[in-house]
């Protein structure tokens, strides 16, 4: 992949982050939306920016696997500062940052930009750590690559999604979706915000693409905050009871847009088979309760200390936080 020429002091600072150990790294200096725009392509398309030296090799002397960070709405590389500084395992990777317009460019187009950028890497395996809205872009990227066909030639791609709003954004006035007035409202909304509506065309097609076996997505959440909902928070906290009914009585899964969007994300994640296997084993001996489902959701879809933003940071008082967990799974 061609290295981007980026005349930004902030990026030059981050380029040297891992020339020494993370413990000696410099904290990323303030990074503004204006800085982000300078990283975009000539038509404001999203681009991959290398954070660590290109051609970085692992301790075994092999070409390092790419690891890509994707921020969420109104975010930047600065959101990952503590994660970068406190996850020594990152030194085994060639690090990239996906810079994109998180307001005016549609999520589908940003996903297309990322898909093309990943293909240019010409590697066998790629790991993506995506926060918030970045998880939706990463998922649509896998969809885009899958739709293109010839999946046997695609790399193995592992997505680690952190506190992504799988339920979608606002569902206000979604019952009027497709009406002339609603179409007019969407026309004047920024493209990314239009896609974030739980009833958007983007969400209606987000979960219906089959992936090849080499694609996987893991879902993790923050213990606090409501930007990205989990099974413990209204209005999707009735989902555990509905999952119990699905197993006990074969009751079809039905619910609100939020519930169905979230359920579709769970049921297509890489953790889902393990979750189902444990539920099935439990069901052989007893009737499953909502509490049983909640306990297994907590086990297979962990929630880490912090809120939507601080989940990316260290939490020294916690037995396990996101940086510590990434050390065990990367």
């Amino acid at each position: 992949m061609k290295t981007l020429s980026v005349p930004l002091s902030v990026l030059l600072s981050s380029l040297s982050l891992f020339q020494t150990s993370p413990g000696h790294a410099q904290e990323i200096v303030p990074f503004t939306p204006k800085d982000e725009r300078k990283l975009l392509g000539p038509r404001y398309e999203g681009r991959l920016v290398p954070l660590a030296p290109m051609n970085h090799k692992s301790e075994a002397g092999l070409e390092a696997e790419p690891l890509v960070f994707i921020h969420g709405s109104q975010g930047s590389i600065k959101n990952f500062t503590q994660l970068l500084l406190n996850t020594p395992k990152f030194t085994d990777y060639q690090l990239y940052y996906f810079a994109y317009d998180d307001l005016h460019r549609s999520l589908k187009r940003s996903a297309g930009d990322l898909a093309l950028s990943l293909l240019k890497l010409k590697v066998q395996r790629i790991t993506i750590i995506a926060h918030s809205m970045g998880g939706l872009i990463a998922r649509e990227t896998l969809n885009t690559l899958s739709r293109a066909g010839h999946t046997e030639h695609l790399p193995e791609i592992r997505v680690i999604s952190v506190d992504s709003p799988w339920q979608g954004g606002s569902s206000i006035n979604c019952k009027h979706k497709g009406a002339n007035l609603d179409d007019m409202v969407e026309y004047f909304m920024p493209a990314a915000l239009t896609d974030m509506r739980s009833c958007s065309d983007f969400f209606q097609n987000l979960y219906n693409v089959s992936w090849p076996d080499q694609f996987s997505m893991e879902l993790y959440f923050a213990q606090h905050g409501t930007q990205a909902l989990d099974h413990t928070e209204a209005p999707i906290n009735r989902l555990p009871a509905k999952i119990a009914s699905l197993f006990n009585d074969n009751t079809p899964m039905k619910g609100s847009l939020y519930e169905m969007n979230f359920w579709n994300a769970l049921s297509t994640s890489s953790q889902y088979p393990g979750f189902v296997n444990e539920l099935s084993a439990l069901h052989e001996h007893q009737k499953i309760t909502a509490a049983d489902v909640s306990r297994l959701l907590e086990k297979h879809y962990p929630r880490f200390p912090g809120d939507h933003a601080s989940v990316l940071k260290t939490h020294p008082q916690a037995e396990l936080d996101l940086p510590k967990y990434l050390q065990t799974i990367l």
Side-chain angles (χ1 to χ4, degrees):
M1 175 183 176
K2 183 179 179 180
T3 305
L4 300 179
S5 175
V6 184
L8 294 173
S9 60
V10 61
L11 193 56
L12 292 176
S13 172
S14 62
L15 281 171
S16 61
L17 268 177
F18 294 102
Q19 289 176 352
T20 57
S21 67
H24 296 91
Q26 296 292 317
E27 185 168 333
I28 297 173
V29 298
F31 192 94
T32 68
K34 185 177 180 180
D35 295 326
E36 179 93 1
R37 287 195 296 272
K38 291 179 181 179
L39 301 180
L40 304 179
R43 295 179 178 82
Y44 295 98
E45 63 267 27
R47 299 173 76 169
L48 279 184
V49 179
L51 290 183
M54 297 295 290
N55 302 317
H56 175 67
K57 294 182 182 294
S58 67
E59 293 182 0
L62 302 174
E63 291 298 326
E65 174 186 322
L67 190 153
V68 178
F69 296 95
I70 311 176
H71 66 75
S73 177
Q74 302 179 55
S76 74
I77 183 59
K78 189 171 174 60
N79 297 110
F80 296 103
T81 300
Q82 281 204 22
L83 199 63
L84 286 165
L85 298 178
N86 292 282
T87 313
K89 193 72 173 178
F90 288 161
T91 58
D92 292 340
Y93 293 84
Q94 169 68 63
L95 302 179
Y96 292 90
Y97 164 57
F98 182 60
Y100 70 101
D101 184 339
D102 55 26
L103 184 62
H104 300 100
R105 196 167 180 82
S106 73
L107 303 189
K108 191 175 184 67
R109 293 186 70 183
S110 291
D113 298 337
L114 179 58
L116 289 174
S117 297
L118 295 181
L119 291 177
K120 291 178 183 178
L121 293 176
K122 299 184 187 226
V123 294
Q124 294 184 340
R125 179 179 165 86
I126 299 169
T127 299
I128 296 173
I129 296 179
H131 176 237
S132 189
M133 189 171 77
L136 306 181
I137 290 174
R139 185 181 182 98
E140 180 59 21
T141 297
L142 300 187
N143 291 346
T144 300
L145 292 170
S146 299
R147 292 189 195 102
H150 303 289
T151 55
E152 68 276 9
H153 301 301
L154 294 175
E156 180 182 346
I157 302 179
R158 177 190 188 184
V159 177
I160 298 171
S161 140
V162 181
D163 215 37
S164 292
W166 299 112
Q167 78 280 355
S170 174
S171 61
I172 296 175
N173 296 325
C174 272
K175 62 183 178 180
H176 302 299
K177 173 71 176 170
N180 289 339
L181 181 59
D182 191 65
D183 287 343
M184 184 180 298
V185 170
E186 285 199 349
Y187 180 80
F188 288 101
M189 288 177 67
L193 294 185
T194 299
D195 283 348
M196 282 300 299
R197 297 181 72 193
S198 60
C199 56
S200 68
D201 294 339
F202 176 81
F203 262 98
Q204 287 180 17
N205 295 292
L206 186 62
Y207 301 113
N208 60 7
V209 179
S210 296
W211 296 340
D213 291 341
Q214 70 266 33
F215 288 0
S216 65
M217 173 163 273
E218 301 161 39
L219 314 184
Y220 302 102
F221 300 94
Q223 290 178 353
H224 307 289
T226 58
Q227 292 96 327
L229 301 179
D230 62 55
H231 70 278
T232 68
E233 298 164 323
I236 59 175
N237 55 358
R238 296 172 297 176
L239 199 60
K242 293 185 178 184
I243 295 174
S245 295
L246 175 67
F247 273 79
N248 291 327
D249 309 313
N250 291 320
T251 303
M253 182 62 67
K254 295 181 181 179
S256 66
L257 275 173
Y258 278 176
E259 288 174 316
M260 295 310 298
N261 283 342
F262 190 82
W263 167 247
N264 286 331
L266 289 184
S267 60
T268 54
S269 68
S270 59
Q271 298 117 303
Y272 186 69
F275 169 68
V276 168
N277 287 341
E278 286 207 49
L279 275 181
S280 299
L282 187 63
H283 189 237
E284 291 180 0
H285 305 287
Q286 64 185 61
K287 188 173 183 177
I288 295 174
T289 66
D292 294 327
V293 174
S294 293
R295 175 176 56 82
L296 290 177
L297 284 172
E298 191 76 32
K299 175 181 177 180
H300 291 275
Y301 301 91
R303 298 182 305 128
F304 295 106
D307 58 20
H308 188 61
S310 64
V311 68
L312 297 172
K313 300 179 180 180
T314 57
H315 296 267
Q317 304 304 317
E319 182 178 348
L320 187 65
D321 59 13
L322 182 63
K324 295 188 188 88
Y325 187 74
L326 288 175
Q327 278 291 108
T328 69
I329 67 170
L330 289 176

